C-alpha cells in the first residue's frame, strides 16, 4: 500500500499483487522510502503507475540491491520493471529487473515514466 518515511530491509515477497493505480510488488505508493536487499517475484497486475517493486515514487526514495522478477501486466500507462512512475529524487544502485512487461504507454525495463533526478 502506502509507505511514508520508511526503511524496508531484507524483504522477499512472492505473492501475486493486483490493484488499479499505484501498484507495486513491494510498495504501491512510496514517499521518502528506502528499500534495501529485497526482491519481488510474482505477477503484478494493474492499470496505471504499475511497477515490479514500487508503483509510484514521490520525493526522496532509494533502492539498493533490489530486484524484480516475474511479470507485470497493465492496461494503462507508466509501467516499469522496478518503478512505474518516479518523481523527486530517486537513487537506484545495484538493482535489476527481469520481468515480462505489458502495458499501453510509457513502458520501461526499469522506470515507466521518470520525472525524478536519478
Amino acid at each position: 500500500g502506502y509507505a511514508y518515511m520508511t526503511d524496508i530491509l531484507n524483504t522477499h515477497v512472492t505473492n501475486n499483487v493486483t490493484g488499479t493505480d499505484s501498484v507495486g510488488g513491494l510498495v504501491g505508493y512510496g514517499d521518502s522510502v528506502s528499500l534495501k536487499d529485497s526482491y519481488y517475484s510474482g505477477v503484478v497486475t494493474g492499470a496505471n503507475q504499475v511497477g515490479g517493486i514500487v508503483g509510484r515514487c514521490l520525493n526522496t526514495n532509494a533502492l539498493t540491491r533490489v530486484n524484480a522478477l516475474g511479470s507485470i501486466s497493465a492496461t494503462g500507462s507508466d509501467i516499469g520493471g522496478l518503478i512505474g512512475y518516479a518523481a523527486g529524487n530517486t537513487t537506484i544502485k545495484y538493482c535489476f529487473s527481469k520481468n515480462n512487461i505489458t502495458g499501453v504507454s510509457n513502458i520501461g525495463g526499469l522506470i515507466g515514466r521518470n520525472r525524478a533526478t536519478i
Side-chain angles (χ1 to χ4, degrees):
Y2 175 71
Y4 175 68
M5 295 185 71
T6 303
D7 292 333
I8 300 172
L9 308 168
N10 301 313
T11 303
H12 310 288
V13 177
T14 59
N15 294 341
N16 295 335
V17 178
T18 302
T20 305
D21 296 333
S22 300
V23 182
L26 296 179
V27 175
Y29 187 129
D31 184 349
S32 304
V33 173
S34 173
L35 290 145
K36 292 182 184 175
D37 301 313
S38 299
Y39 74 86
Y40 176 79
S41 175
V43 178
V44 180
T45 306
N48 301 296
Q49 299 178 348
V50 180
I53 299 297
V54 182
R56 180 179 179 143
C57 283
L58 290 183
N59 297 318
T60 303
N61 293 279
L63 281 71
T64 306
R65 292 178 302 278
V66 175
N67 306 309
L69 309 165
S71 66
I72 300 167
S73 178
T75 58
S77 64
D78 305 338
I79 317 305
L82 288 179
I83 301 169
Y85 175 86
N89 295 314
T90 300
T91 303
I92 299 173
K93 294 181 183 180
Y94 313 113
C95 298
F96 75 84
S97 164
K98 186 176 179 184
N99 296 304
N100 294 318
I101 304 170
T102 58
V104 176
S105 63
N106 299 332
I107 302 164
L110 288 179
I111 300 173
R113 180 181 229 174
N114 181 39
R115 293 194 170 176
T117 301
I118 302 294

